Amino acid sequence: MSEEQKASLDATLRQRPFDLSGDLTALRAGFDEVMRHIPVADDVEKTRIDFGGVGALEISIRGTNSSRVILYFHGGVYVIGSADATVPLASDLARRFNAKVVSVDYRLAPEDPYPAALEDAKAAYEGLLSQGILPRNIAFAGESAGAGLAIALLLTLKSAAMSMPSSAFLMSPYADLTLSGKSIVDKRDLDPLFTEEVLRIRVSDYVARADRSNPLISPIYGDLSGLPPLLVQVGSHELLLSDAIRLAERAAEDDVAVILDVTPGVPHVFQGYAAFLDEGDAALNRAAEFLALHFSRPSN
Amino acid sequence: MSEEQKASLDATLRQRPFDLSGDLTALRAGFDEVMRHIPVADDVEKTRIDFGGVGALEISIRGTNSSRVILYFHGGVYVIGSADATVPLASDLARRFNAKVVSVDYRLAPEDPYPAALEDAKAAYEGLLSQGILPRNIAFAGESAGAGLAIALLLTLKSAAMSMPSSAFLMSPYADLTLSGKSIVDKRDLDPLFTEEVLRIRVSDYVARADRSNPLISPIYGDLSGLPPLLVQVGSHELLLSDAIRLAERAAEDDVAVILDVTPGVPHVFQGYAAFLDEGDAALNRAAEFLALHFSRPSN
């Protein structure tokens, strides 16, 4: 069944409803509109919250009351996406991980380039800590640009000698905005979602006048020592496959506990299709085990 | 506790009782003698078997009767090691994986260089099949050179259009006999077991007149497409860290389901110390979950 599921998903995605190189206002509105129509279970509760001006959406499952918090960062190459659009996947994580998900509406480029998103991410984490939530009860999670942002936040916390969360779960991280990964070329015909050209257009929106190889923009160039355990999941049909591999490589070389978990034949952030893609379901189950293991340990 | 465990293990290994560059006859005898004194539980049963001239040791837990078989390949840079010496770790795997372990006494170099070990590995697999054991009830496992040999055997089965086992569990694979990994240099002071010089001396024993970058000798240079799911575990304090990373990278690029699982601060084949190293115990538990998941699926 799964081969059929993969083929069907690939065909659907190749219709490319969202041209990331197009007008951003229309693109953002259209993306959020589509995501709003993805069915979400009746027991999903959403509460809008605010961390000193940084908006976020708290997503939880009615009737559950866990002390665990997933601080979640959405994808969208830093120019589109929103906390609202994460509700389908974030609520799935809340249920599987037995946690409350706090999905951050960080500022987007080009209106607000680097380091705006990172400042907002840090404000959200500090907001959780100021509520008395212990770092060991927090995990970071993110997809695509949001996964890159999660690593950039970990590097920022390290520099500031702040407490680390228990672990981080990174789905298809966008971790090299110099676009130097070999999969950018090698997986060109296999990735149903992205093209190098579109990525290239949007890189400058976020980077602006900063250096693309700044580790807070492209964490594969960072010193990752001291980071908490990382789970990196990626599909093999991705332009960003090499980002995931090199992030795990860097972490391994820097003595970080890291698991790189590659699922063949699936696209970018395939976990978002877990409802009808067996590989997505299985990957999220593995992620739930990983997070639970590290939640139960003392914080770093 | 674990930091103390790691420091103690590192100090012990730095005494380097086995100089791999020394006389092989004495080295082999001394190694086997030390391994024989590692305590093994009373319920471990050993039976010597033979696959058309290739010896092996069947290792199982008394009172269990699983249809699952782990075909196991020991380490020792292709010049030392034996099925007998694998009993402590192999019996641990048998217990955790609820399987019978068949540990192969493949021929060693320099007396029998490449492809002798690979021929023997293939004969053992064919022997299991001829007993009526289904490929989906077989998994390969190996440590160090044995893990490289397991991948070489998978490549050989692919070329011969033979059925693949359900999965392969690779501990600290020795997968690049050109010794080109950056960790060979970068981890020089951290690896308590190996030196580049010793590895270099022993490479030529096995390779003899073949090409060191032959994928059946150095699988990171192979086309890994079509291989069954792979779990690659490695410690970050290893000269061979880059072998594991590049093997996983190659598998990911070739659309293989692969998990690279890196444990920081531990040495080569750290799973062998699971009885007194928490990280080894945890890694083997993750391996048990991985193998069980794939045993339950139809074979490729």
Side-chain angles (χ1 to χ4, degrees):
Chain A
M1 285 306 293
S2 175
E3 289 309 312
E4 285 172 42
Q5 292 170 355
K6 285 195 265 191
S8 161
L9 175 60
D10 186 80
T12 304
L13 294 175
R14 282 184 188 281
Q15 297 170 12
R16 289 207 177 106
F18 300 110
D19 176 7
L20 270 173
S21 66
D23 172 69
L24 278 180
T25 308
L27 187 60
R28 288 171 185 167
F31 180 76
D32 283 0
E33 178 66 14
V34 163
M35 297 305 280
R36 227 189 323 274
H37 283 87
I38 296 179
V40 166
D42 289 341
D43 61 355
V44 172
E45 296 188 323
K46 300 179 287 184
T47 310
R48 183 130 326 257
I49 55 176
D50 179 279
F51 298 108
V54 176
L57 200 59
E58 191 179 290
I59 299 155
S60 57
I61 307 300
R62 190 180 309 131
T64 65
N65 186 19
S66 170
S67 60
R68 295 170 176 181
V69 178
I70 309 287
L71 189 61
Y72 192 87
F73 304 105
H74 68 76
V77 294
Y78 294 106
V79 302
I80 68 164
S82 67
D84 276 314
T86 66
V87 172
L89 179 50
S91 61
D92 190 354
L93 301 189
R95 194 180 304 277
R96 292 178 196 256
F97 300 172
N98 184 32
K100 185 170 71 177
V101 176
V102 172
S103 183
V104 183
D105 263 320
Y106 56 83
R107 282 170 289 166
L108 297 177
E111 297 89 331
D112 294 289
Y114 170 85
L118 184 54
E119 288 169 356
D120 292 356
K122 182 159 180 265
Y125 182 63
E126 290 172 330
L128 292 179
L129 298 186
S130 72
Q131 290 174 13
I133 299 169
L134 297 175
R136 70 163 176 252
N137 286 332
I138 301 173
F140 291 174
E143 10 118 7
S144 195
L149 184 58
I151 296 286
L153 176 54
L154 292 174
L155 292 173
T156 302
L157 299 181
K158 181 171 72 164
S159 298
M162 289 177 63
S163 291
M164 293 284 178
S166 60
S167 69
F169 170 39
L170 310 160
M171 293 175 271
S172 299
Y174 185 31
D176 176 18
L177 274 67
T178 75
L179 304 180
S180 72
K182 68 196 286 276
S183 59
I184 298 265
V185 174
D186 292 351
K187 299 295 178 182
R188 192 170 39 201
D189 298 331
L190 291 172
D191 187 322
L193 266 179
F194 285 136
T195 67
E196 179 179 356
E197 294 65 35
V198 160
L199 289 176
R200 205 163 288 285
I201 287 166
R202 292 306 173 193
V203 163
S204 47
D205 286 344
Y206 181 60
V207 173
R209 281 186 301 273
D211 178 352
R212 286 163 198 227
S213 61
N214 178 337
L216 299 179
I217 290 173
S218 296
I220 64 158
Y221 301 108
D223 168 5
L224 303 188
S225 62
L227 264 54
L230 308 178
L231 171 62
V232 183
Q233 290 187 341
V234 67
S236 75
H237 283 190
E238 297 207 36
L239 292 194
L240 300 186
L241 173 60
S242 299
D243 286 44
I245 291 170
R246 290 175 299 159
L247 186 66
E249 178 179 24
R250 187 71 256 151
E253 290 169 351
D254 289 345
D255 286 323
V256 173
V258 59
I259 292 176
L260 171 70
D261 177 342
V262 182
T263 299
V266 297
H268 193 60
V269 197
F270 64 97
Q271 298 88 341
Y273 316 105
F276 52 89
L277 180 70
D278 294 345
E279 283 81 358
D281 182 62
L284 287 180
N285 286 340
R286 292 194 296 274
E289 283 182 23
F290 172 87
L291 286 167
L293 188 69
H294 296 292
F295 267 134
S296 65
R297 290 189 185 167
S299 106
N300 298 306
Chain B
M1 285 311 291
S2 177
E3 289 309 312
E4 284 172 43
Q5 292 170 356
K6 284 195 267 190
S8 161
L9 175 59
D10 186 80
T12 303
L13 294 175
R14 281 183 189 282
Q15 297 169 15
R16 290 207 177 108
F18 300 112
D19 175 8
L20 270 172
S21 66
D23 173 69
L24 278 180
T25 308
L27 188 59
R28 288 172 185 165
F31 180 75
D32 283 359
E33 178 66 15
V34 164
M35 297 307 280
R36 226 191 323 275
H37 284 86
I38 296 179
V40 166
D42 289 341
D43 60 354
V44 172
E45 297 187 324
K46 300 180 286 182
T47 311
R48 183 133 321 261
I49 56 178
D50 178 279
F51 298 109
V54 176
L57 200 59
E58 192 179 290
I59 299 155
S60 57
I61 307 300
R62 191 179 309 130
T64 65
N65 186 19
S66 170
S67 60
R68 296 171 175 178
V69 178
I70 309 287
L71 189 60
Y72 192 88
F73 304 105
H74 68 77
V77 295
Y78 295 106
V79 302
I80 69 162
S82 67
D84 276 313
T86 66
V87 171
L89 179 51
S91 61
D92 189 357
L93 301 188
R95 194 181 304 276
R96 292 178 196 254
F97 300 173
N98 185 30
K100 185 171 69 178
V101 175
V102 172
S103 184
V104 183
D105 263 320
Y106 57 84
R107 282 170 288 166
L108 297 178
E111 296 89 333
D112 294 288
Y114 170 85
L118 184 53
E119 289 169 355
D120 291 354
K122 182 160 179 266
Y125 182 63
E126 289 172 330
L128 293 180
L129 299 185
S130 73
Q131 291 174 10
I133 298 170
L134 297 175
R136 69 163 176 251
N137 285 333
I138 300 173
F140 291 174
E143 12 117 6
S144 196
L149 184 59
I151 296 286
L153 177 54
L154 293 174
L155 292 172
T156 302
L157 300 180
K158 181 170 75 163
S159 298
M162 288 177 63
S163 291
M164 292 284 178
S166 60
S167 69
F169 169 40
L170 310 159
M171 293 174 270
S172 302
Y174 185 33
D176 176 17
L177 274 66
T178 75
L179 305 181
S180 71
K182 68 197 285 280
S183 58
I184 299 265
V185 175
D186 292 352
K187 299 295 179 182
R188 192 170 38 203
D189 298 331
L190 290 172
D191 187 320
L193 265 180
F194 285 137
T195 66
E196 178 179 359
E197 294 64 35
V198 161
L199 289 175
R200 205 165 287 285
I201 287 167
R202 293 305 172 192
V203 163
S204 48
D205 286 343
Y206 182 60
V207 173
R209 282 185 301 274
D211 179 351
R212 286 163 197 226
S213 61
N214 178 338
L216 299 179
I217 290 173
S218 297
I220 65 159
Y221 300 110
D223 167 6
L224 303 188
S225 63
L227 264 52
L230 309 178
L231 172 62
V232 183
Q233 291 187 341
V234 67
S236 74
H237 283 189
E238 296 205 38
L239 292 193
L240 300 185
L241 173 62
S242 298
D243 286 43
I245 291 170
R246 290 175 299 158
L247 185 67
E249 177 179 25
R250 187 71 257 153
E253 290 170 350
D254 289 344
D255 287 323
V256 173
V258 59
I259 292 176
L260 171 70
D261 177 341
V262 182
T263 299
V266 296
H268 194 58
V269 197
F270 63 96
Q271 298 89 342
Y273 316 104
F276 52 90
L277 180 71
D278 294 345
E279 283 81 358
D281 182 63
L284 287 180
N285 286 340
R286 292 193 297 273
E289 284 183 22
F290 172 87
L291 287 167
L293 188 69
H294 296 292
F295 268 132
S296 65
R297 292 188 182 168
S299 104
N300 299 306

